[in-house]
Amino acid sequence: NTISIVILAAGILLGVVNMTQKKGFFNLGIDFSSGTKLTITSNETIDLDEVKTLMAETGFDGFTYQSAGDNAVYAITKQSLTTDELNTIKEVYIEAYGIEPGDNVVTPVVGRDLVRNAFILTIVAWIAMMIYVTIRFEWDYALGCITALLHDVGIVLAVFSILRMEVNIELISVLLTIIGYSINNSIVVFDRVREMLKDVKRKPNKEMYRDLVNRALDATIKMSINSSITTILPVIVLLVIGSRAIITFMVAMFIGLIAGTISSIFVAPTVWIWARDHFKPHEKKTKKKWEDKEHLDEYTIKGINA
């Protein structure tokens, strides 16, 4: 938990510093800001340096380049190029490679719409998860799960803020994947907690809740860690030998899987204990009142005390 707090604090601090320098809290990709992405292809192996040289001949600068296999290169700029400007660039590459580059232009308005839609989609996913857990368990279990999901998303975004990695549509898809992964791990733990809670004969207290959670974690932690390892290993392999085109996706997935495993073991159960200790269900009080009333009814004698 301490490490998580440090990462979140560092991400927020660096984000604020970048905002003061007018760089933005996050390094938003063209999906969420505005810009142009050109896909330059060739029937033969394409040289990245040659692509840069040809772009310099067009008079345009400010592009970043990314290889996509042996026969394609992405040229990305945060400027929304006009049709005439695109045609000028395309003519150079058509002459060099014989294939017209593909283009994807995102205007500021479209970028804002994508940000809003991504935010709404994430919130809807959280609400759906909370409703599902509340129906299957109780509201305090759902509170623990949602807190864990906020932790996972916060850690991923904080790391991207620290490293100034590009925030794009790929990151949103990773966050939605991590939400599902983390909620599954949390439910496994809470399912065991609920089973153990049914066997409790006396009035629960905070220490008993802690003991229940510890025993539930002892029973499920091996399965959670093994599940996480089998998922993380392929991600590590892709990070090492995979294409640079998917580096953002893989880094986000790696961080999210680790954060999801930690939150399902340490964050969600801790929040559940806090909620149980401060907002205990009133079923026992209601039952006690009913038992007291029934006890009085047994001593009610008609015509004497009734």
Side-chain angles (χ1 to χ4, degrees), residues 45-87:
T45 301
I46 192 168
D47 182 61
L48 187 60
D49 292 332
E50 184 181 3
V51 172
K52 294 180 180 179
T53 302
L54 290 172
M55 184 65 74
E57 291 177 2
T58 65
F60 293 95
D61 55 9
F63 278 83
T64 58
Y65 302 89
Q66 185 179 59
S67 295
D70 295 330
N71 304 97
V73 170
Y74 296 132
I76 304 169
T77 179
K78 291 192 176 181
Q79 301 174 13
S80 296
L81 300 180
T82 63
T83 302
D84 292 338
E85 291 172 333
L86 286 173
N87 289 335

Side-chain angles (χ1 to χ4, degrees), residues 242-279:
S243 170
R244 296 295 92 186
I246 59 172
I247 187 67
T248 300
F249 183 91
M250 288 296 105
V251 169
M253 184 67 76
F254 178 73
I255 298 167
L257 289 173
I258 294 177
T261 303
I262 292 173
S263 66
S264 62
I265 295 174
F266 298 106
V267 178
T270 302
V271 173
W272 178 82
I273 292 172
W274 176 84
R276 280 274 162 160
D277 186 51
H278 290 79
F279 308 99

Side-chain angles (χ1 to χ4, degrees), residues 188-204:
V188 170
V189 176
F190 282 149
D191 196 47
R192 187 58 60 91
V193 170
R194 183 176 61 174
E195 290 178 3
M196 293 179 175
L197 196 59
K198 291 178 181 178
D199 298 330
V200 174
K201 303 299 182 183
R202 61 188 178 87
K203 186 177 180 180

